[in-house]
């Protein structure tokens, strides 16, 4: 192939995208509770060792693009849209007004707001720093985010504590730091109760998000399970208002099975919100688009969530790769992420109604005939052949993922 001139590259990307086929219409996409974060679309490809590869983009453009794709919901950090120095000032109200207008004009709803407590230098010693002034500032920030959330009609507030941890040990005392962090969550819930009453709205669902490493060397609440323990610790004044926003990759990063993490959150009644993406075990936070690395695991995750009636948001917290242009972000990255999610969600429905999986599961639950419940040998032999169904079910799931159950076959 001869070199492709720059002015023909977008057309080629579009042509190959339509050749891929399998896209859903914006109307179909809007039926799912999928939210697009401001920060994901606006990510410029920068990192510690990486210069940006894409230009900046404003929230009006992101909201318009999401609308074109059919992403019905939008989420944001306070400082993704409001400069730090304008927070709580009249300029904030002006920006919130512009956001309301952009959402209304494009038929989007704001689902979630979150406070940036990791990027600015003020958080160098975390939002639960020793200095009382920093902690007061953290309270102001989370309360201000709650107010913005109510203004924008959001139902969820998310907390990724980010810098709650340390690089060098011994200087901070963990129990004290966690108490101070709880004070910030309590301040947010208290303010929420007041604002919700004033506005006649329900209170927000406050969702804690864990990540095992980054951006500190050691993290005080590294996993969703650690956060469940924190929520139940007695430190929170309104534990019933606080649940989880697990992120798929954040759990994989520490080697967990994300489906088991979600199951524990479901059992605790705390699965409020879910950040969806993909990546690799025991590696850093690469934030790859959902289903590009572990589609089989994702299918299984969605089977669990569908079977438990999870009805919260699926927040596309991924980063379009640095090799994707800004054109590609909206032409390829977001629509394909949405469409893989929808396909996997629909496949999960197929799994739940598949007669083979159903019969195999029922047979496993029925077990073999029990002669003597204290006879290990008899029990082993009564169930021996049935246990092969575990592998048969796993095979069937792969068949469904690859379309083999519909007769797709390869001949040589
Ligand atoms: C970091 C994250 C965050 C959180 C966000 C919402 C930038 O790894 O996942 O995204 O999701 O701060 O609280
Ligand atoms: Mg996240
Ligand atoms: Mg992440």
């Amino acid at each position: 192939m001869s070199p492709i001139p720059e002015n023909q590259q977008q057309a080629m990307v579009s042509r190959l995208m339509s050749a891929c086929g399998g896209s859903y219409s914006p109307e179909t996409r809007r039926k799912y509770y999928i939210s697009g974060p401001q920060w994901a679309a606006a990510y410029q490809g920068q990192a510690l060792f990486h210069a940006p590869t894409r230009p900046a983009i404003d929230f009006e453009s992101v909201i318009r693009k999401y609308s074109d794709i059919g992403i019905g919901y939008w989420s944001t950090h306070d400082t993704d849209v409001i400069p730090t120095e304008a927070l709580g000032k009249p300029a904030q109200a002006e920006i919130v007004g512009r956001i309301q207008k952009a959402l209304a004009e494009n038929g989007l709803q704001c689902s979630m707001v979150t406070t940036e407590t990791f990027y600015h230098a003020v958080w160098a010693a975390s939002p639960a720093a020793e200095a009382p002034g920093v902690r007061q500032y953290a309270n102001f920030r989370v309360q201000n985010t709650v107010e913005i959330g109510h203004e924008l009609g959001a139902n969820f507030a998310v907390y990724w504590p980010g810098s709650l941890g340390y690089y060098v040990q011994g200087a901070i005392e963990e129990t004290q730091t966690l108490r101070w962090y709880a004070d910030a969550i309590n301040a947010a819930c208290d303010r929420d109760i007041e604002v919700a009453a004033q506005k006649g709205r329900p209170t927000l669902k406050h969702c804690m998000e864990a990540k095992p490493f980054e951006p500190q060397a050691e993290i005080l609440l590294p996993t969703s399970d650690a956060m469940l323990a924190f929520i139940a610790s007695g430190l929170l004044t309104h534990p019933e208002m606080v649940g989880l926003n697990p992120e798929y990759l954040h759990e994989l990063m520490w080697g967990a099975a994300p489906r088991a993490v979600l199951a524990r959150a479901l059992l605790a009644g705390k699965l409020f919100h879910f950040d969806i993406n993909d990546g690799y075990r025991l590696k850093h936070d690469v934030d790859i688009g959902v289903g590009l690395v572990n589609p089989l695991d994702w299918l299984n995750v969605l089977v669990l969530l569908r079977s438990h009636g999870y009805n919260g948001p699926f927040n596309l917290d991924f980063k379009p790769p640095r090799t994707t242009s800004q054109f590609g972000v909206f032409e390829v990255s977001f629509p394909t992420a949405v469409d893989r999610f929808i396909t996997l969600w629909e496949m999960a429905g197929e799994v739940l109604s598949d007669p083979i999986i159903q019969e195999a599961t029922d047979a496993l639950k029925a077990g073999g005939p029990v002669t003597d419940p204290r006879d290990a040998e008899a029990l082993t032999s009564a169930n021996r052949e049935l246990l092969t169904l575990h592998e048969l079910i796993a095979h069937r799931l792969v068949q469904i993922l690859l379309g083999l159950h519909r007769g797709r076959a390869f001949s040589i």
Side-chain angles (χ1 to χ4, degrees), residues 39 77 114 118 158-160 209 211 247 250 275 285 317:
W39 68 87
H77 292 98
T114 178
F118 43 88
V158 166
Y159 304 87
W160 172 50
E209 176 179 336
K211 171 151 83 165
E247 177 168 317
H250 291 179
D275 272 4
D285 197 13
D317 191 9

Side-chain angles (χ1 to χ4, degrees), residues 346-358 400:
E346 295 308 324
M347 275 183 187
E350 269 192 277
V351 169
L352 289 172
S353 60
D354 184 69
I356 296 171
I357 293 179
Q358 193 60 56
I400 291 173

